[in-house]
Amino acid sequence: MFLYFFQQEDIEQVILVGGATRVPKVQEVLLKAVGKEDLAKNINADEAAAMGAVYQAAALSKAFKVKPFLIRDAAVFPIQVEFTRESEEEGIKTLKHNKRILFQRMAPYPQRKVITFNRYSDDFAFYINYGDLSYLSQEDLSVFGSLNLTTVKLSGVGNSFQKNADAESKGIKAHFNMDESGVLLLDRVESVFETIAEEKEEESTLTKLGNTISTLFGGGSSEPAANVTEPVQEEAEEKQDNSEKSSTEEKGQEKTEEASSQTDAPEEKDGEKAENTEAEKEAENTEAEKEAENTEAEKEAENTEAEKEAENTEAEKEAERKAKPQKKSKISEDVAAELITNDILDPTAEDVASSKKKLQDLTDRDLAKQEREKSLNSLEAFIFETQDKLYQEDYQLVVTEEEKEQISSKLSEASEWMDEEGYTASNKQLREQLSQLRSLCKDMFFRVEERRRWPERLAALNSRLNTSSFFLRSAKLIPEDDQIFTEVELNLLEKVINETMTWKNETEAEQEKRSPKERPVLLSKDIESKVSLLERELNYLLNKANKANNTTKEKVIPPTEESADSKSESPEEVQPGEVPPTEESATNTDSDSQSQPTEESTTTGATEKTQPEKHIEDEL
């Protein structure tokens, strides 16, 4: 009971489950312990445990849907982890003892806990012990024995630090688990480290979309190159120069057209006009050169601006990289843990032998108890059954009054002994009582059993005698030439039949003279032996007859239809006294040699031999 570990003010009511509700002393002790005036009796105490177990099983099962039914077990005693660590203050090294509560008192389970050791870089050990038990008395503490539960020795911590020297240590983590049964387990111990993971630059969504489109249409990467804009600028300059040249040419053509249209002017004026046009052309050429120089200057300014923009974007990207937090990866190395149990020591060889002896003694005691119960039941059943049989007709016929009174009195004495001493008697005493009663009733049971077996056994004997006699008469009627049995064999069977018949008649006559209350002369075992002797002699002769029939069937093979047909078709040779065939018949037979013989020729073999010419004429 966990009531002892609660404070009295925390207990509202006490509900007893089971038969303890009917024990006044138990109720009195509980009421005194919890400081209550009355117990709760609002449930059926006999059915509460069974109903609660069924309801909890249904709640745990996935096959049933019930209302929420929460049951939480709790650790009765606190458990803590203790370890020592070196600390240095003002150049002086000291050992500091530390305690960390792992599970509080009345902490629910199942539950998992993790403890991290941050200041260790080499192998060390820690201890799992009970926590503060000051609320218990010395008498209660003496039941615990050792308050130290387990010592855990860790190995491989230094190797893990050497292996991950460049990483940042996050401590050694010990994972504990208190399972559904309240058993504390150390699942694993690991050494944890962190390193900075290198991140790749993440492209923007528009950049990824542009790359996808460019790859679809056969384009290259979307990243700006140094010479991407150069081909485009060169094409613009060529178009501009071509447009300027075409405009000057058009102006020259207009001027020449104007000059050619003035046909009435004198030739001198034409020479002056030609000089003027040349001067105008030179002026136009100088203007075109100035415009080209201006466009080149503009291009250089644009290139410098593009370079400045590219430098600004790179600086912005570097600033963004510095502003973003660096991603870290976790590395864990398993640490070997050796557990040394302190509260329960390993038993010695003597303790193991003593425990085995106790278990064997318990097993022998259980077997002896089963044997005693079996003997007790057998004795009790024999007494009741025999008392009932004494009043049955079959048993009253074979038992005398004196014998009946003797058996009845012994059965009554055994029944009284069982009521007084039988249920505490040993197995040996029970067997002795049963053996005495069986020896007393043995003759009565034998006479009844023999009379019950007579009809079946005598019917079998009569049937075998009739079968043997019929076989003997049939065997004697076989003729001497076909006789397969010797005279000695038949005489032996006849002798056995006669002796059996004589024994049967004499024994039955003698049994009729005897009283049913006397030991019978006609015994079922003697009848069975006589039947066996007859069966042996008869089976010997039957097996011999079967073998003889099988050998005669193998020697005499009756003619088959195929052999008869071959005999009727084969004799085509000229027998002595037959007329040889003529030339005409020979030619006819040669011409018809391929034809099959008709049905008439095969069936009338005699006429074929005597009149061969007629047979040939019939075929023609």
Side-chain angles (χ1 to χ4, degrees):
M1 297 294 289
F2 296 134
L3 295 174
Y4 182 77
F5 305 105
F6 288 93
Q7 299 296 330
Q8 289 187 357
E9 58 270 12
D10 296 334
I11 301 174
E12 294 182 1
Q13 62 179 173
V14 179
I15 301 174
L16 291 183
V17 176
T21 55
R22 301 181 182 86
V23 182
K25 189 64 177 177
V26 174
Q27 298 177 7
E28 180 183 351
V29 171
L30 281 173
L31 291 174
K32 184 178 180 180
V34 300
K36 296 294 178 181
E37 296 180 357
D38 195 7
L39 297 172
K41 299 180 180 179
N42 53 352
I43 64 170
N44 189 331
D46 291 334
E47 299 177 0
M51 288 294 295
V54 171
Y55 202 94
Q56 174 66 1
L60 294 175
S61 175
K62 296 180 180 179
F64 303 96
K65 185 176 181 181
V66 296
K67 291 183 179 181
F69 187 71
L70 183 61
I71 295 178
R72 295 300 299 269
D73 293 324
V76 182
F77 308 107
I79 298 175
Q80 64 186 10
V81 173
E82 300 181 14
F83 56 95
T84 57
R85 186 177 62 237
E86 286 187 357
S87 62
E88 185 174 355
E89 295 179 0
E90 297 179 358
I92 301 173
K93 293 183 178 180
T94 57
L95 290 176
K96 185 179 180 181
H97 190 74
N98 299 289
K99 296 180 181 181
R100 297 289 183 272
I101 297 297
L102 188 61
F103 292 98
Q104 296 284 353
R105 180 187 174 192
M106 301 309 296
Y109 61 82
Q111 190 178 165
R112 293 179 179 272
K113 289 290 185 70
V114 179
I115 288 184
T116 304
F117 303 93
N118 293 317
R119 299 186 182 181
Y120 287 96
S121 60
D122 204 351
D123 299 347
F124 67 99
F126 62 91
Y127 310 92
I128 304 171
N129 302 327
Y130 283 115
D132 183 18
L133 300 179
S134 58
Y135 59 92
L136 296 178
S137 62
Q138 291 296 327
E139 184 179 357
D140 296 331
L141 289 174
S142 62
V143 179
F144 285 80
S146 174
L147 299 179
N148 300 325
L149 299 177
T150 306
T151 301
V152 182
K153 294 183 178 181
L154 302 181
S155 59
V157 178
N159 295 334
S160 64
F161 273 85
Q162 293 176 3
K163 186 177 179 181
N164 301 277
D166 298 335
E168 181 183 0
S169 175
K170 291 298 179 181
I172 295 93
K173 296 183 181 294
H175 298 260
F176 294 91
N177 175 29
M178 185 174 283
D179 61 8
E180 292 82 357
S181 302
V183 178
L184 180 61
L185 303 172
L186 178 61
D187 285 346
R188 69 183 187 280
V189 181
E190 58 182 359
S191 185
V192 183
F193 302 89
E194 279 188 358
T195 57
I196 299 173
E198 296 181 358
E199 291 187 0
K200 295 181 179 179
E201 295 183 2
E202 295 184 358
E203 296 179 351
S204 62
T205 307
L206 293 175
T207 306
K208 294 179 181 178
L209 182 60
N211 292 338
T212 307
I213 295 173
S214 62
T215 51
L216 288 174
F217 291 98
S221 64
S222 62
E223 296 180 1
N227 58 354
V228 169
T229 58
E230 289 180 1
V232 179
Q233 292 177 357
E234 288 176 357
E235 290 176 0
E237 290 175 357
E238 289 176 358
K239 290 179 181 179
Q240 187 174 0
D241 293 339
N242 293 330
S243 61
E244 291 176 354
K245 288 180 181 180
S246 61
S247 61
T248 53
E249 288 176 356
E250 287 176 356
K251 291 179 181 178
Q253 289 177 359
E254 290 175 355
K255 291 179 180 180
T256 53
E257 287 176 357
E258 290 176 355
S260 61
S261 62
Q262 297 175 359
T263 54
D264 295 339
E267 293 179 0
E268 292 178 359
K269 292 180 179 180
D270 292 337
E272 292 177 359
K273 289 178 179 178
E275 290 176 358
N276 292 330
T277 55
E278 290 177 358
E280 290 175 356
K281 289 180 180 179
E282 290 178 358
E284 290 174 356
N285 289 331
T286 55
E287 290 177 358
E289 290 176 357
K290 290 179 179 179
E291 290 177 357
E293 289 177 356
N294 293 330
T295 55
E296 289 178 357
E298 290 175 356
K299 289 177 183 177
E300 290 177 358
E302 290 177 357
N303 289 332
T304 55
E305 289 178 359
E307 290 176 357
K308 289 180 180 179
E309 290 178 357
E311 291 177 357
N312 292 331
T313 54
E314 289 178 359
E316 290 176 358
K317 288 181 180 179
E318 289 180 359
E320 289 178 357
R321 289 174 187 171
K322 292 179 180 179
K324 286 182 180 179
Q326 294 177 346
K327 188 176 181 180
K328 297 181 179 180
S329 63
K330 180 182 175 182
I331 301 173
S332 62
E333 297 284 343
D334 291 336
V335 177
E338 180 186 358
L339 302 179
I340 302 173
T341 305
N342 297 325
D343 58 336
I344 302 176
L345 300 177
D346 293 335
T348 61
E350 295 178 357
D351 294 337
V352 172
S354 177
S355 299
K356 288 183 177 180
K357 186 177 181 302
K358 288 180 180 179
L359 292 174
Q360 188 62 40
D361 293 342
L362 292 174
T363 303
D364 296 340
R365 191 180 302 174
D366 291 339
L367 293 175
K369 182 180 179 181
Q370 293 176 3
E371 290 293 329
R372 182 190 172 283
E373 290 177 353
K374 185 178 178 181
S375 300
L376 181 63
N377 293 334
S378 299
L379 177 60
E380 189 175 12
F382 184 84
I383 292 172
F384 293 146
E385 290 177 0
T386 308
Q387 286 177 344
D388 181 65
K389 288 177 181 178
L390 290 176
Y391 297 95
Q392 295 178 7
E393 184 178 356
D394 294 344
Y395 289 87
Q396 289 181 352
L397 181 64
V398 299
V399 67
T400 61
E401 290 297 330
E402 295 178 359
E403 188 177 8
K404 184 178 178 180
E405 290 179 0
Q406 184 182 5
I407 294 173
S408 180
S409 62
K410 289 291 184 182
L411 292 175
S412 300
E413 291 177 3
S415 180
E416 292 176 358
W417 177 82
M418 281 192 61
D419 294 337
E420 295 175 0
E421 303 177 4
Y423 293 99
T424 58
S426 63
N427 186 30
K428 183 179 180 181
Q429 293 174 340
L430 294 172
R431 286 187 174 184
E432 288 178 354
Q433 286 285 341
L434 181 60
S435 176
Q436 292 176 4
L437 293 177
R438 283 178 175 173
S439 61
L440 180 63
C441 303
K442 181 176 65 174
D443 294 339
M444 179 183 67
F445 291 151
F446 176 75
R447 292 193 293 269
V448 172
E449 191 66 24
E450 286 295 325
R451 298 185 70 85
R452 288 177 178 176
R453 292 178 181 178
W454 283 348
E456 182 181 358
R457 299 292 191 275
L458 291 174
L461 180 61
N462 292 330
S463 175
R464 190 56 61 191
L465 285 171
N466 293 333
T467 304
S468 303
S469 300
F470 177 77
F471 179 82
L472 180 62
R473 289 194 299 270
S474 300
K476 288 183 177 180
L477 294 176
I478 298 174
E480 294 182 0
D481 296 338
D482 299 332
Q483 184 62 261
I484 57 176
F485 304 114
T486 62
E487 186 177 357
V488 176
E489 294 171 347
L490 295 177
N491 291 336
L492 181 59
L493 177 60
E494 185 177 5
K495 180 182 178 182
V496 171
I497 293 172
N498 293 333
E499 289 179 353
T500 304
M501 289 288 293
T502 304
W503 173 87
K504 174 180 173 295
N505 295 330
E506 291 177 356
T507 307
E508 285 182 343
E510 187 177 355
Q511 182 61 42
E512 290 179 357
K513 296 178 182 178
R514 282 179 173 264
S515 170
K517 298 177 177 58
E518 297 178 355
R519 181 178 178 81
V521 178
L522 182 62
L523 303 178
S524 58
K525 63 177 184 179
D526 296 339
I527 300 174
E528 290 177 357
S529 64
K530 296 295 182 180
V531 172
S532 300
L533 181 60
L534 284 172
E535 287 180 349
R536 185 184 64 186
E537 296 298 331
L538 186 60
N539 290 333
Y540 172 76
L541 298 178
L542 288 174
N543 292 332
K544 186 176 182 180
N546 291 330
K547 290 180 181 179
N549 290 333
N550 292 332
T551 53
T552 54
K553 286 181 181 179
E554 291 177 358
K555 290 181 180 179
V556 181
I557 301 175
T560 60
E561 295 180 358
E562 184 178 358
S563 61
D565 294 340
S566 61
K567 287 181 181 180
S568 62
E569 293 178 358
S570 59
E572 292 183 358
E573 299 178 358
V574 180
Q575 298 294 334
E578 288 185 344
V579 180
T582 59
E583 293 179 358
E584 182 179 1
S585 63
T587 55
N588 292 331
T589 54
D590 291 336
S591 61
D592 297 333
S593 61
Q594 300 297 329
S595 62
Q596 296 293 333
T598 61
E599 185 177 355
E600 184 180 357
S601 63
T602 56
T603 53
T604 58
T607 57
E608 182 178 349
K609 293 180 182 179
T610 55
Q611 297 177 355
E613 294 180 356
K614 185 177 179 181
H615 173 66
I616 294 171
E617 289 176 358
D618 292 339
E619 287 185 348
L620 293 175

